[in-house]
Each structure stands twice: as C-alpha cells, then as structure tokens.
C-alpha cells in the first residue's frame, strides 16, 4: 500500500510540474504587461520639499484621503528615499494619522506609505504558484475537459426502460395455471406446412400452409419447361457421379454394368394399369365447387385437392415462402397478412375446436426463423393481438426451440426446410449471433433435382408438371420413398407408383431407378447443379415506424447472412468457426454436437454422408478435428416436429412468464416490447 501511494503521489507531482513548465510562458506574458514608471533621481529643491510638507499636513488632517492615497497611479511603485545623516524615527512606520497640533513629529512621507501598500499588493501573488488555467478550452494533460458526470452517465443508454401497460409477468397476460397449458397455442409456420397445436398435446397438427382464393380475373396456370443442362451443371453432375463411385469403392460395392441402358429401356415400355375407384384404398376426394356455392377461399387439404385448370377462377397462394412472407406473389403486405389470418383462424377453429370469440382467453407462442425481418415480425404480432384478439404473445427463435426439443444446451442446429436451410450455433440456450446463416435451398431443390433425373431416364409418367399441386405431391412422395444415401441400396430396382389426377381414375405405373436416388440429395453439397432462381424484391412499407431507425443494424445483419445456394457442409463449418471465437474447446464441442431438424434431412443415411463431408472441409482439417457427429433425434422423434416440441417445453418454464406481450403495452410502444421481452429480437 505504501509503494502504491508513493507511486500515485509521484505521478501527481509529475503532472503538476509538467503543466507548470508547459504554460510558464503565460506567467511571463502577464509579468511583462506590468507598467514600470520612470523613477525621479533628480534632487528636490527646498521649495518643492516645503510644498510636499504642506500636502502631507493636509493628508494627515483628513484620514479618508490618507486611506485612498495608495490608489494614485503616481505612487504605484516605491521610490528610493533620500539618504540623510539623521535616521528616521520609529513613528514613521505607522499608518495612523497624527493630530494637527503635533507639529514636532514629522509626518509619514508618501514613500513610506507606498512601501506598506505595495507589500499588501504582492501578498496575493504567492497563491499563483498552483496550477493555473482551471477553465480552458483545450485539454491539459491529466485533466478532463468534460465533467465526469457527463461522461459516465447512463441516462438513455440502458436496455431496461419503462413500458406502460402490463408489467412483465402480470397475471392479466400470464396463462391460467389451472388450465394445465391447455390455453397456450403453439404456431410454427413453414413454407409448405403449418404446425399448430396446444402446449398440452404431445404432437402438433400438420396442415398445408396454402390457400386457394377466388380471383376476379382468370390467370393462366404455371407450367414447368425442361431446360438443357449448362456447362456448369454438367461439371457438377460429373463431380456427383465421381463421389458416388468413390463411396461405392470404399463400401466394396460394384457398379452395375450398363445400368443406365437397362433403366431407360424398361421405363420406355413400362407397363401401366388402370385402377377402379372402388379398388383404390387411397382415393383422393377432390374439392368440388358447385355453381350455387362458391366460397371466397379454400384452406389446407381442400386447397391442395382443388382441381386447378387454365380456366379456373381460383388460384393457389403460399403466403409463407423462403422462410419469410411471400413478396413475389402478393402485391401488398396487407394481402399476405389477410391470407395468414384466414389460414390460422380457420385451422384453430376447425382442428383445435376453439371458437373465435374465445381467442381472448388463449395465449400464442409464435416460432420464427433466426433471421427474420423485424418489420414483418411486428406486423405478425399486431395481427395476433389487435386483429385476432389473442390474450398475449411470445416470440421465440427456431434454433433455441430446437435445442429445447432435443434436450441439449449446446448444439449446432441445421434446419433443412422446404425452401431454405438455416444454420445457427446455440450455447447454453442462447443463439450466437455471428453464427447465423440462411441459405436459399432446401428439400424442394432435392425434389426438383430428383424429378429432373427421372425425366432423363424416361420416367413413365411423361405429363408430370411440378407446378400443379397434385403432381408436386407425387414427386415429394417418390423422393421420400425412393431416395437413399446408403451405398448398399444403390442398385437397379423396380418400384410401383400411383398417379391420381382430378376426376380421373387412378393409374398404376412401374419404374426402374438406379443411381439417381443417391445423386439427388447431393445437390445440397454440389449446388452448381441447381437451377438458377429468379429474385423479386418488393419493399413494403411498415406501420411500425417507431423502430425503423434503431433497427438498421438488424436489417443489415440479416441481409449479410442471407446467402444464395451454398454447399451445406462448408456453411456448417463456417458457422462453427464464427461461433467458436478462436477457442479449440468450443470448436471440438460444436463439431461433435450437430442436430438435423426439418423435413429436408429425413433422407436415409444423410447424416452419415454429412459427417464425412464436414470432416473433409478446410476448416475442419486446419483445426485438426478428428470426429464429427450428427446427433440423432431424441426418443425417435420426427425431426419435423422437434422445433414445435421445444416451443411447448419453453412455454412451460418459469422464465417464460416474463416474456409474454399483452395488447396494452404493444399498442403503446410497439416494437420496443420485442427488445425487452424477447431474446435476440
């Protein structure tokens, strides 16, 4: 302690001396401005001395004049007295005036008075030895310009702020404990399917996230045209085939000679059979529109089974596309929100059997992607609270819900959806912001690639059109049944499939396949084989303008992490590297705790192939990673419902009570509620 105090005092003295030396020129400038009147060295005559004595007598007779005599500019500087042989008497040093009658004693001269007054002037100058220039407009070393309170103030800088309305955890917005979670509805929207259900249930209800709306003008049906492969796509196809040969060699499997010729020859003359309706156990009930009763829209299965034709008045819309609101097929934001409200309200009423008048007694947990537009999220919350009249809302991210559903605290969540793949690293239940990635590819790209390979091999159903809902469902069904990444199953096999078209009898086909069942899923790794996607960006104005300025950084980070088709193995490695922050322990932990969620990763043995691909990346090789592990779904749970299941677990925690957002506070402050009561939103 003594050494520390000595060092501090030494530092203070150093700064004090430095400031005095640095500004010593100012003291010299002040001293140079002091006037120096010329001293009169000429001896006075006897007449002048008499006049001086007379003036002295007048001064002594008036004390007031004597006290102000030192203010005269002529006597501002002391004069050297004349040297006389007779020493001055002791009374001359006194400043008290003498009485007029005492003429024997000499009066005090002006010189004596000036000496005493000058001494009083010089006394305050001794105080200027301290550091000067206390108030300056330039910084002095060791001193701050601004007061400390202005630098360290936390006013308007803290995240916590007062929000009018219901406080966090208020009884008015928290679910009723007596209901046992039966008053909480979990909504997980997707590009193809909507998963919705009560928190008290074990599994959600999966409904096609689609609506068939009647239009005033007839619109032509989209048709898909086959295009020839470009040079880039041919190179990617050759790379995929070479990897298959390498894997077959490592698995000690022999390739079938002349396999492609056998497949094409069989499919060209494939037999077909017509099945009558009473013999078809999976007959589809198509939506029949009567002339007298034509509703405005159909939702879910009825919309999928609607017989769309060129002269149809109805058109099918998907309000949720590519992990966000559909900006391509809608002209305004209100149109998208209107279809979302119609779908969600209809499913809640029909599937969950909850009347619209009872919505005010239910809470909603909305699960959104990790990278989601803040303005769109505000509009969704406004729709749920203001228009649909729900009690309260919680907004949660997919990656955090996936870890809750899988029972892990730290994991790399790879969500392969229908049209987008989201990757995020989660540590202790918190999503790492720098690790978030969203790639514009998913299970639909695998379906399209698989369909294109089937056409090359003379698929028996030549009229397949993926733009039609029933044909798209057929292609997805064949992908789920036939596609595999197990080398032992790559051989010439014959499969049966059924084609069901609107108001026609079912037709049974036979088809041979070989290596296309293995090559199609590899399009997620060799992305050059995918068809180029057309982009249509629409800037919709948001009503929640109070948060637009503060969310510029959020929008820029979302745009930065949204990527075009990119190899999934490289994207996972880059996400892990960004989340590890140079820590080898975190790097190894993330590489050994990868979970696959979503319907796109349900292909047989896909996880094992993904492990090999991630281990061969440059980042894994440079970091000397020896083991990469993709964890299986817990308790044989379907990967598609892991996120929804995690949302139910999260809504039952005690910490969720402070995350509910009610109608009052949302109408007062809007988007600020998301910052105070939602994680990373």
């Amino acid at each position: 302690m003594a050494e520390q105090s000595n060092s501090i005092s030494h530092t203070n003295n150093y700064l004090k001396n430095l400031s005095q030396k640095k500004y010593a020129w100012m003291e010299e400038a002040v001293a140079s401005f002091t006037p120096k009147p010329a001293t009169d060295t000429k001896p006075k005559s006897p007449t002048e001395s008499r006049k001086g004595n007379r003036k002295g007598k007048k001064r002594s007779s008036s004390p007031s004049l004597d006290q102000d005599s030192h203010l005269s500019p002529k006597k501002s500087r002391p004069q050297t007295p004349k040297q006389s042989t007779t020493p001055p008497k002791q009374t001359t040093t006194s400043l008290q005036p003498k009485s007029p009658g005492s003429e024997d004693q000499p009066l005090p001269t002006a010189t004596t008075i000036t000496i005493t007054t000058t001494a009083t002037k010089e006394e305050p100058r001794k105080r200027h030895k301290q550091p000067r220039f206390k108030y300056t407009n330039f910084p002095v070393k060791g001193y701050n310009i601004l007061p400390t309170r202005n630098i360290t103030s936390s006013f308007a800088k803290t995240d916590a702020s007062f929000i009018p309305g219901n406080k966090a955890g208020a009884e008015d917005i928290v679910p009723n404990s007596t209901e046992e979670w039966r008053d909480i509805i979990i909504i997980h929207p997707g590009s193809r399917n909507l998963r919705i259900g009560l928190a008290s249930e074990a599994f959600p209800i999966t409904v096609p996230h689609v609506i068939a709306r009647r239009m005033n003008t007839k619109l032509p049906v989209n048709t898909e045209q086959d295009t020839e492969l470009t040079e880039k796509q041919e190179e990617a196809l050759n790379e995929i085939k070479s990897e298959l040969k390498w894997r077959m060699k490592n698995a000690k499997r022999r390739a079938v000679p002349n396999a492609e010729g056998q497949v094409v020859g069989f499919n060209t003359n494939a037999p077909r059979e017509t099945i009558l309706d009473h013999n078809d156990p999976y007959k589809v009930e198509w939506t029949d529109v009567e002339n007298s009763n034509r509703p405005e829209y159909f939702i879910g299965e009825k919309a999928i089974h609607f017989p769309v034709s060129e002269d149809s008045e109805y058109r099918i819309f998907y309000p949720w596309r590519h992990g966000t609101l559909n900006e391509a097929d809608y002209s305004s934001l209100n149109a998208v929100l209107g279809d979302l409200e119609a779908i969600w309200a209809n499913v809640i009423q029909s599937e969950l059997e909850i009347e619209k008048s009872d919505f005010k007694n239910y809470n909603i947990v909305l699960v959104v992607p990790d990278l989601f537009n803040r303005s769109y999220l505000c509009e969704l919350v406004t729709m749920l609270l203001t228009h649909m009249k729900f009690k309260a809302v919680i907004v949660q991210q997919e990656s955090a819900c996936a870890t809750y559903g899988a029972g892990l605290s730290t994991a790399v969540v790879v969500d392969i959806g229908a049209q987008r793949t989201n990757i995020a690293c989660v540590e202790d239940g918190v999503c790492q912001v720098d690790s978030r990635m969203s790639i514009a590819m998913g299970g639909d790209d695998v379906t399209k690639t698989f369909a294109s390979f089937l056409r090359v091999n003379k698929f028996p159903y030549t009229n397949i059109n993926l733009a039609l809902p029933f044909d798209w469902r057929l292609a997805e069904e064949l992908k789920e049944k036939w596609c595999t990444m197990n080398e032992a199953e790559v051989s010439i096999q014959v499969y049966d499939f059924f084609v069901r078209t609107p108001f026609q009898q079912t037709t049974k086909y036979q088809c041979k396949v070989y290596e296309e069942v293995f090559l199609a899923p590899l399009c997620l790794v060799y992305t050059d084989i995918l068809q180029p996607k057309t982009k249509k960006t629409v800037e919709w104005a948001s009503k929640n303008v109070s948060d637009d300025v503060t969310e510029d950084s959020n929008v820029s980070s979302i745009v930065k992490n949204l990527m075009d088709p990119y190899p999934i193995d490289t994207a996972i490695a880059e996400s892990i590297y960004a989340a590890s922050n140079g820590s080898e322990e975190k790097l190894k932990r993330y590489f050994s705790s990868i979970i696959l969620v979503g319907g796109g990763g349900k292909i047989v043995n896909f996880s094992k192939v993904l492990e090999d691909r991630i281990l061969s990346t440059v980042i894994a090789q440079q970091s000397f990673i020896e083991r990469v592990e993709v964890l299986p779904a817990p308790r044989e749970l379907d990967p598609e419902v892991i996120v929804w299941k995690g949302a139910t677990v999260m809504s039952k925690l005690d910490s969720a009570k402070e995350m509910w957002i009610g109608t009052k506070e949302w109408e007062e402050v809007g988007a600020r509620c998301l910052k105070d009561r939602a994680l990373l939103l």
Side-chain angles (χ1 to χ4, degrees):
M1 293 295 294
E3 295 178 358
Q4 185 177 4
S5 60
N6 293 336
S7 61
I8 294 174
S9 60
H10 176 71
T11 305
N12 294 336
N13 294 334
Y14 171 75
L15 296 175
K16 180 178 178 181
N17 296 334
L18 183 63
S19 62
Q20 289 179 356
K21 291 179 182 180
K22 188 174 182 180
Y23 304 106
W25 61 273
M26 295 296 295
E27 296 182 359
E28 296 177 0
V30 172
S32 63
F33 279 101
T34 305
K36 294 182 179 181
T39 57
D40 191 5
T41 57
K42 184 178 179 181
K44 295 183 179 180
S45 59
T47 57
E48 293 177 354
S49 61
R50 291 194 202 102
K51 294 179 180 179
N53 293 336
R54 293 173 184 173
K55 294 178 180 178
K57 292 179 181 180
K58 294 180 180 179
R59 293 193 201 98
S60 60
S61 61
S62 57
S64 61
L65 294 175
D66 188 34
Q67 293 176 2
D68 299 334
S69 61
H70 65 280
L71 299 176
S72 176
K74 295 182 180 180
K75 299 178 180 58
S76 62
R77 191 173 181 84
Q79 297 180 1
T80 56
K82 296 181 180 180
Q83 297 188 10
S84 61
T85 56
T86 57
K89 295 183 180 180
Q90 297 295 329
T91 55
T92 56
T93 58
S94 177
L95 295 178
Q96 297 295 332
K98 304 298 180 179
S99 60
S102 60
E103 296 179 0
D104 296 338
Q105 296 179 359
L107 295 173
T109 60
T111 306
T112 307
I113 296 173
T114 309
I115 291 174
T116 56
T117 55
T118 307
T120 57
K121 282 185 178 181
E122 293 180 352
E123 286 179 359
R125 292 186 180 179
K126 296 180 182 179
R127 302 176 184 173
H128 295 297
K129 294 181 180 180
Q130 299 177 0
R132 305 173 74 181
F133 304 103
K134 185 176 181 181
Y135 302 101
T136 58
N137 58 355
F138 53 88
V140 180
K141 188 173 183 180
Y143 300 92
N144 293 325
I145 300 177
L146 298 176
T148 308
R149 64 178 181 274
N150 295 342
I151 300 175
T152 60
S153 174
S154 60
F155 178 75
K157 293 182 181 179
T158 57
D159 294 336
S161 58
F162 173 75
I163 295 178
N166 296 313
K167 295 183 179 180
E171 295 182 358
D172 295 340
I173 57 177
V174 172
N176 191 357
S177 58
T178 60
E179 293 291 338
E180 297 181 355
W181 322 116
R182 288 191 295 268
D183 57 345
I184 300 178
I185 303 175
I186 314 295
I187 300 178
H188 181 204
S191 300
R192 289 288 177 182
N193 296 319
L194 170 68
R195 294 172 183 87
I196 190 171
L198 298 176
S200 58
E201 299 294 334
F203 299 100
I205 298 172
T206 302
V207 180
H209 207 188
V210 61
I211 182 172
R213 185 174 288 276
R214 189 172 64 180
M215 308 296 293
N216 295 329
T217 57
K218 297 181 180 181
L219 299 175
V221 180
N222 296 329
T223 56
E224 189 181 38
Q225 298 179 356
D226 294 336
T227 56
E228 296 182 358
L229 297 178
T230 60
E231 295 182 0
K232 193 175 183 180
Q233 291 175 338
E234 289 180 355
E235 292 178 0
L237 181 59
N238 295 331
E239 291 178 357
I240 293 176
K241 290 182 178 181
S242 62
E243 178 166 349
L244 175 60
K245 292 179 181 179
W246 176 78
R247 291 186 175 277
M248 294 285 288
K249 185 177 180 181
N250 287 346
K252 298 180 179 180
R253 298 284 178 179
R254 291 184 178 180
V256 179
N258 194 21
E260 293 184 1
Q262 297 181 34
V263 170
V264 172
F266 180 85
N267 291 339
T268 303
N269 301 316
R272 65 184 66 183
E273 180 184 354
T274 301
I275 299 178
L276 300 179
D277 293 342
H278 62 275
N279 292 331
D280 186 8
Y282 300 102
K283 179 183 176 182
V284 177
E285 297 293 336
W286 301 100
T287 304
D288 189 9
V289 181
E290 299 178 359
N291 296 329
S292 58
N293 184 15
R294 291 189 177 184
E296 290 293 331
Y297 53 82
F298 294 98
I299 290 173
E301 293 290 343
K302 291 184 178 181
I304 290 292
H305 297 155
F306 186 85
V308 179
S309 59
E310 295 183 357
D311 57 348
S312 175
E313 295 182 356
Y314 289 83
R315 184 183 176 190
I316 292 180
F317 291 96
Y318 288 88
W320 196 281
R321 302 287 285 178
H322 302 286
T324 184
L325 301 186
N326 190 351
E327 301 174 349
D329 299 334
Y330 287 86
S331 59
S332 65
L333 180 60
N334 291 332
V336 183
L337 296 176
D339 283 356
L340 284 176
E341 181 180 353
I343 296 173
W344 295 1
N346 186 278
V347 172
I348 292 174
Q349 294 178 23
S350 60
E351 301 294 339
L352 302 183
E353 298 181 355
I354 299 175
E355 298 296 332
K356 196 169 185 179
S357 59
D358 295 335
F359 284 0
K360 60 184 178 181
N361 299 325
Y362 286 83
N363 292 28
I364 295 293
V365 177
L366 179 63
V367 184
V368 296
D370 298 328
L371 295 172
F372 195 73
N373 193 327
R374 178 69 65 88
S375 61
Y376 294 169
L377 181 59
C378 294
E379 296 294 342
L380 289 176
V381 176
T382 303
M383 179 189 72
L384 292 171
L385 293 177
T386 306
H387 302 291
M388 301 182 72
K389 305 295 182 181
F390 282 104
K391 185 177 179 181
V393 172
I394 280 183
V395 181
Q396 189 58 271
Q397 293 178 321
E398 289 179 346
S399 60
C401 292
T403 55
Y404 283 118
L408 301 173
S409 61
T410 301
V412 181
V413 181
V414 182
D415 187 356
I416 306 177
Q419 299 171 352
R420 188 165 288 277
T421 299
N422 298 319
I423 304 171
C425 297
V426 180
E427 184 176 5
D428 296 332
V430 179
C431 175
Q432 304 299 310
V433 178
D434 296 335
S435 66
R436 298 179 298 179
M437 286 187 179
S438 183
I439 310 173
M441 66 180 186
D444 286 1
D445 296 286
V446 179
T447 304
K448 294 177 182 178
T449 305
F450 182 59
S452 64
F453 288 162
L454 291 177
R455 290 195 194 99
V456 173
N457 292 335
K458 304 299 181 181
F459 188 58
Y461 179 41
T462 57
N463 296 328
I464 185 171
N465 182 10
L466 298 183
L468 298 176
F470 44 87
D471 283 351
W472 176 265
R473 273 206 159 186
L474 173 64
E476 281 201 330
E477 182 182 353
L478 298 182
K479 178 193 71 173
E480 295 174 359
K481 290 182 178 180
W482 297 355
C483 283
T484 179
M485 303 197 80
N486 188 2
E487 294 85 356
E489 298 179 3
V490 178
S491 61
I492 298 178
Q493 297 185 8
V494 181
Y495 292 103
D496 297 337
F497 67 94
F498 301 87
V499 176
R500 298 177 176 90
T501 55
F503 306 112
Q504 294 183 7
Q505 293 181 348
T506 304
T507 305
K508 178 183 177 181
Y509 292 89
Q510 284 188 341
C511 178
K512 272 189 177 182
V513 294
Y514 176 52
E515 60 183 8
E516 56 266 26
V517 297
F518 192 97
L519 301 180
L522 284 178
C523 68
L524 300 177
V525 177
Y526 298 92
T527 56
D528 291 338
I529 199 173
L530 299 178
Q531 296 288 341
K533 300 179 180 180
T534 58
K535 297 182 179 180
K536 180 182 178 182
T537 58
V538 180
E539 295 182 0
W540 286 334
S542 175
K543 298 178 182 178
N544 295 276
V545 297
S546 60
D547 206 46
D548 288 349
V549 178
T550 59
E551 295 307 322
D552 289 342
S553 60
N554 177 269
V555 175
S556 61
S557 64
I558 291 178
V559 174
K560 178 182 177 181
N561 294 328
L562 291 178
M563 306 172 64
D564 291 333
Y566 194 72
I568 188 173
D569 54 343
T570 307
I572 294 173
E574 291 179 357
S575 177
I576 293 175
Y577 184 77
S580 63
N581 293 326
S583 175
E584 295 183 1
E585 182 182 356
K586 288 185 179 181
L587 206 66
K588 294 180 180 179
R589 191 192 314 148
Y590 282 135
F591 272 111
S592 60
S593 57
I594 302 174
I595 57 175
L596 288 177
V597 298
K602 294 173 62 176
I603 301 172
V604 179
N605 206 38
F606 178 75
S607 59
K608 299 299 180 183
V609 176
L610 187 61
E611 288 178 0
D612 297 340
R613 294 295 310 179
I614 296 175
L615 188 60
S616 62
T617 57
V618 177
I619 294 177
Q621 293 295 326
Q622 292 180 350
S623 304
F624 303 102
I625 301 299
E626 299 178 356
R627 182 173 65 93
V628 175
E629 185 176 0
V630 178
L631 302 178
R635 301 179 298 276
E636 302 299 329
L637 194 64
D638 189 355
E640 293 185 3
V641 302
I642 288 180
V643 176
W644 185 92
K645 191 67 177 178
T648 62
V649 175
M650 186 275 305
S651 64
K652 300 176 183 178
L653 300 177
D654 292 338
S655 59
K657 294 181 180 179
E658 299 181 356
M659 300 171 62
W660 293 105
I661 301 174
T663 306
K664 293 181 180 179
E665 53 267 29
W666 182 258
E667 291 178 351
E668 289 289 341
V669 296
R672 284 176 54 192
C673 293
L674 296 176
K675 186 177 182 181
D676 293 341
R677 301 187 185 180
L679 297 176
L680 300 175
L681 293 175

